[in-house]
Amino acid sequence: MFRPKIPTNPTPTGAVIPLPVEPTAVERHTPAHTLAPVAPAAEPPSAPARPTVQLTPGALLTVIGGGTAVVLVVGTVLVSMLLAVAVTASSVAVCALVLRSLMSQQNRR
């Protein structure tokens, strides 16, 4: 029951045909002639490396709104986590005080 059942590999039913292996020869080619160095072509006058992005007023408002929403959501999550830690710490402190008072009353009797 607790041992895994590993299936056995079935024996091949058809004829097994080995694939032919053809040896490949390595041939070295030497270049017939060498190229002379070429002078670099003149570059166009200060072309920008990448196109500039122009935001329309609607797109700008969307970006600002999205950023504000992200900041509000992250802030809400962080504040709720801090509140959860504070509530947990206060409940642990109350439990410790109750246990301390019970132990001190037990020692007095």
Side-chain angles (χ1 to χ4, degrees):
M1 179 175 164
F2 295 108
R3 293 184 184 165
K5 295 181 181 178
I6 301 172
T8 58
N9 290 334
T11 57
T13 56
V16 178
I17 302 171
L19 298 174
V21 177
E22 297 178 10
T24 58
V26 177
E27 298 179 15
R28 296 185 185 205
H29 298 285
T30 57
H33 61 284
T34 59
L35 299 176
V38 179
E43 295 181 13
S46 67
R50 53 187 159 141
T52 57
V53 177
Q54 295 180 352
L55 293 176
T56 62
L60 188 62
L61 287 176
T62 303
V63 169
I64 291 173
T68 304
V70 167
V71 167
L72 289 176
V73 168
V74 170
T76 303
V77 168
L78 291 177
V79 167
S80 64
M81 288 173 63
L82 181 64
L83 183 62
V85 169
V87 167
T88 304
S90 63
S91 65
V92 167
V94 168
C95 288
L97 287 176
V98 169
L99 286 175
R100 182 178 171 191
S101 67
L102 289 175
M103 296 297 284
S104 66
Q105 286 179 1
Q106 195 176 26
N107 288 340
R108 289 183 191 166
R109 291 184 184 181

